[in-house]
Amino acid sequence: MLAVIVDVLDRGGQPTAPGVERILQEHGDMPSILWCSRADVGRPEFTHTVRTGISAILFHSPDPFESAMIAGLVPRGAVGYHQWLNATLNRRVPEPVRALVSFCLHPANARLTVPEVALALHLPRRTLTHHLSGAGMPHAKELLIWSRALHAAWELEHEIGKPLERIALDHDFGSASALRGVFIRLIGEPPAGLRKDGGFGWVLRCFDRTLATPSRRRIRAGDGHDTTH
């Protein structure tokens, strides 16, 4: 475990403070963030969580500072990745749904299914779909596929010695062949050509065009894995 990031209540509506306190007693040097709404400040659960010894408080706000704060808890090599991606999201994604899109694209959430994404965001699945489609954004399933593809592309460029098969498995593609198929569908070329300077940038530009051009958003049955249905 790299860090603790909690809200004042868990998915079941129970206070998180007791669990946070137990974790911090065992791992006192672990970074911990209370990530909540400003409206929670007056709640007793907020006070109880802060008193556990939480490292910092971060209020929900879909802006670069929030993303940078969370990104700072992931391995150092991924920070540049988040900076590139956030620049694209800030330019292409309408502010009302930017937090939803950013959540789907964060590497930590790439293996979630669409129902799990909706649950984590405390939204009915239909509402999640409505928000994204209403803003002209891709379906959550496609965002999750892009998330894995973008992170795989980052590794292809920055970890030249890492075997393609290993990268594919690490990002839940099942095999190098499956990874190739997804890249050919998304960007029109196999991943082997991305092992060079600018490889990730090219994939990110393809994603940028997908965000800007709704007609490019097509998901064929069987692409990637189907756990996002």
Side-chain angles (χ1 to χ4, degrees), residues 152-201:
W154 179 266
E155 288 200 356
L156 285 165
E157 178 180 342
H158 293 86
E159 297 189 33
I160 303 298
K162 190 171 183 178
L164 182 62
E165 187 78 20
R166 183 70 263 163
I167 291 176
L169 294 176
D170 284 351
H171 296 287
D172 208 25
F173 285 102
S175 68
S177 178
L179 178 61
R180 290 188 190 96
V182 169
F183 271 110
I184 288 173
R185 179 175 74 83
L186 295 179
I187 69 172
E189 65 178 85
L194 303 175
R195 288 193 180 276
K196 58 186 178 182
D197 288 344
F200 169 76

Side-chain angles (χ1 to χ4, degrees), residues 97-173:
V97 298
R98 197 174 298 151
L100 302 185
V101 174
S102 179
F103 183 89
C104 292
L105 291 170
H106 196 287
N109 303 322
R111 289 182 171 84
L112 296 180
T113 65
V114 174
E116 287 170 342
V117 168
L119 181 63
L121 293 171
H122 306 291
L123 292 172
R125 184 176 173 180
R126 288 185 178 181
T127 302
L128 172 63
T129 299
H130 176 73
H131 284 337
L132 292 173
S133 63
M137 293 291 100
H139 188 276
K141 176 185 177 181
E142 188 171 6
L143 291 173
L144 291 167
I145 293 173
W146 269 108
S147 174
R148 294 186 292 123
L150 284 162
H151 207 214
W154 179 266
E155 288 200 356
L156 285 165
E157 178 180 342
H158 293 86
E159 297 189 33
I160 303 298
K162 190 171 183 178
L164 182 62
E165 187 78 20
R166 183 70 263 163
I167 291 176
L169 294 176
D170 284 351
H171 296 287
D172 208 25
F173 285 102

Side-chain angles (χ1 to χ4, degrees), residues 27-112:
H27 308 279
D29 57 345
M30 182 180 298
S32 53
I33 291 180
L34 173 57
W35 190 22
C36 62
S37 169
R38 292 182 185 276
D40 290 324
V41 173
R43 305 179 61 164
E45 294 88 354
F46 176 86
T47 302
H48 295 160
T49 307
V50 171
R51 287 175 177 171
T52 63
I54 212 84
S55 304
I57 300 169
L58 182 63
F59 294 116
H60 294 168
S61 176
D63 58 28
F65 174 77
E66 179 185 72
S67 298
M69 182 77 168
I70 300 298
L73 297 177
V74 304
R76 183 173 299 176
V79 174
Y81 169 86
H82 287 279
Q83 291 172 340
W84 277 100
L85 186 57
N86 287 336
T88 296
L89 299 185
N90 291 337
R91 183 173 65 255
R92 293 294 189 193
V93 181
E95 193 276 335
V97 298
R98 197 174 298 151
L100 302 185
V101 174
S102 179
F103 183 89
C104 292
L105 291 170
H106 196 287
N109 303 322
R111 289 182 171 84
L112 296 180

